[in-house]
Amino acid sequence: MNTRSDSSDGGATAPDPIVLAAVHRFARDGFSAPLRQVAADAGVSAALIMKRFESKEGLRTACDEYVLAWIRRVKAENMAAAADGHLLASLASSDEHAPLLVYVLHSVMDGGDLGRAFVEHMIDDAEQYTADAVARGIVRPSRDEKARVRYLVMSGLGTFLLSLLLRPVDDTSDLAAVTRRLQEETTLPMLELYTEGMLTSRTVLDDYLRHSSGADTDASEETA
């Protein structure tokens, strides 16, 4: 077996069973979970994990690669679903997605190079998904696509993280409960903001654009 999923897109073939077991265990217990527990979940020995991945960090790197590939696949599928008007039906599959989403949050909370790199990879990938959505006519173009994508990824992760920290689920094995609760609480306001907007005029935006472009400064200098 390889040290990562056999599929580069996270879905063409069955994932490495050790990596999959590690992702689910780290999602439940965080990265402090012992290798012997991961080994028990995967039905192998801890010695085999060390032989194949060399260290716990090596196993985490393989897990990150697997989850990133899953994110690419799911995001692409959701964009296609949005184009066909079936986005909500796709989001309803959160029971399957929950462990991987919680793994992402543990990566962020854990910090360090892997956690930071993980978020940056998510942002890079999201730029591609957003460009595809703009090309499809699903999303309006932005004056600064990179800044918009970074904001959306960071705010999305922050919302999920706060939901998990402030109101943790009673049964940590029921990871899907987190995503179900968050989906119930945020889907309507999110869709309202994204489709209808919030402010009744664009005055605030126009003021910001005028200020950021230096138009106000230029005008005051001309008056002086």
Side-chain angles (χ1 to χ4, degrees):
M1 289 186 289
N2 298 323
T3 59
R4 64 186 72 179
S5 170
D6 294 329
S7 168
S8 61
D9 65 3
T13 57
D16 184 319
I18 294 178
V19 170
L20 190 59
V23 167
H24 281 251
R25 177 53 56 184
F26 291 151
R28 284 190 170 90
D29 300 339
F31 296 114
S32 61
L35 282 180
R36 63 179 180 275
Q37 183 61 64
V38 175
D41 294 343
V44 300
S45 66
L48 176 61
I49 293 179
M50 290 298 294
K51 180 179 180 180
R52 289 195 42 213
F53 298 95
E54 297 183 353
S55 66
K56 193 173 185 179
E57 286 297 301
L59 177 60
R60 275 198 59 185
T61 298
C63 291
D64 281 0
E65 292 173 355
Y66 169 72
V67 177
L68 282 169
W70 165 80
I71 289 171
R72 295 187 188 100
R73 175 175 59 84
V74 171
K75 288 286 189 179
E77 289 174 354
N78 282 345
M79 285 301 177
D84 295 335
H86 297 121
L87 178 58
L88 293 181
S90 178
L91 293 176
S93 60
S94 59
D95 282 12
E96 172 191 355
H97 300 165
L100 303 182
L101 289 174
V102 177
Y103 176 93
V104 171
L105 294 182
H106 278 300
S107 294
V108 174
M109 290 187 291
D110 188 61
D113 292 339
L114 279 176
R116 285 189 292 270
F118 200 97
V119 175
E120 291 302 322
H121 279 304
M122 289 184 66
I123 293 172
D124 290 342
D125 287 341
E127 288 184 16
Q128 299 178 27
Y129 311 142
T130 304
D132 180 58
V134 171
R136 289 171 177 264
I138 302 171
V139 173
R140 297 178 187 275
S142 170
R143 295 171 182 80
D144 189 337
E145 293 288 5
K146 289 182 177 295
R148 178 171 68 172
V149 166
R150 177 172 289 275
Y151 168 76
L152 290 174
V153 171
M154 298 287 279
S155 61
L157 286 173
T159 299
F160 196 84
L161 178 58
L162 283 173
S163 178
L164 183 64
L165 290 178
L166 295 177
R167 291 186 296 165
V169 292
D170 295 331
D171 182 1
T172 56
S173 66
D174 187 14
L175 299 174
V178 179
T179 53
R180 284 197 301 268
R181 183 179 67 202
L182 188 62
Q183 183 176 326
E184 292 170 357
E185 293 177 347
T186 63
T187 298
L188 177 59
M190 178 186 68
L191 292 178
E192 282 185 340
L193 286 171
Y194 286 176
T195 59
E196 298 177 343
M198 178 174 173
L199 301 177
T200 58
S201 76
R202 52 173 289 155
T203 302
V204 176
L205 174 61
D206 289 338
D207 287 345
Y208 170 79
L209 293 174
R210 186 164 51 251
H211 175 74
S212 63
S213 66
D216 289 342
T217 302
D218 294 341
S220 63
E221 289 177 352
E222 291 176 2
T223 301

